[in-house]
Amino acid sequence: MNFLESIFEQLQTAQDTPLLRRNGSRGTVEATGKKLLELIGRARAFLASKGLKKGDRCVLLAPNSIRWVAMDLAVMAEGLIAVPLYREASAGSSWLP
């Protein structure tokens, strides 16, 4: 079993268990395994509708959130290469010393 298969197995097992929590201006939002699988399924359908194929690069530009996690997992599940971009990064910034 690979990394991604293990994650999806855990999501199936934890259908009603809150796995992620995000605190925001509108309060706390939780996502169960079932909710994450739902979001991942919708994201996978979206990616497929755009004609992306295994090995294609897919940029992720969004604030950290439950939906970001779902999209990242969907990108990997579709065999795409995730290219995360960070809104806070400037053109000359480097993440390495």
Side-chain angles (χ1 to χ4, degrees):
M1 176 180 305
N2 67 33
F3 165 75
L4 199 54
E5 291 169 338
S6 177
I7 289 175
F8 280 104
E9 182 179 291
Q10 292 297 318
L11 292 175
Q12 288 288 345
T13 303
Q15 291 264 331
D16 298 320
T17 304
L19 299 175
L20 294 177
R21 180 177 294 131
R22 180 176 182 272
N23 297 319
S25 60
R26 297 182 182 182
T28 300
V29 176
E30 293 183 336
T32 61
K34 181 178 181 179
K35 180 64 175 177
L36 281 169
L37 286 170
E38 220 175 85
L39 290 170
I40 293 165
R42 288 174 40 203
R44 290 184 77 175
F46 172 78
L47 293 168
S49 76
K50 297 302 175 190
L52 296 169
K53 295 177 180 51
K54 187 175 181 177
D56 286 349
R57 291 176 184 88
C58 180
V59 170
L60 297 176
L61 176 61
N64 290 337
S65 66
I66 292 169
R67 288 177 183 230
W68 192 99
V69 172
M71 181 58 85
D72 191 36
L73 290 169
V75 166
M76 289 188 277
E78 289 297 306
L80 305 171
I81 300 166
V83 181
L85 299 180
Y86 301 97
R87 296 181 326 161
E88 295 80 20
S90 62
S93 68
S94 172
W95 295 102
L96 301 173

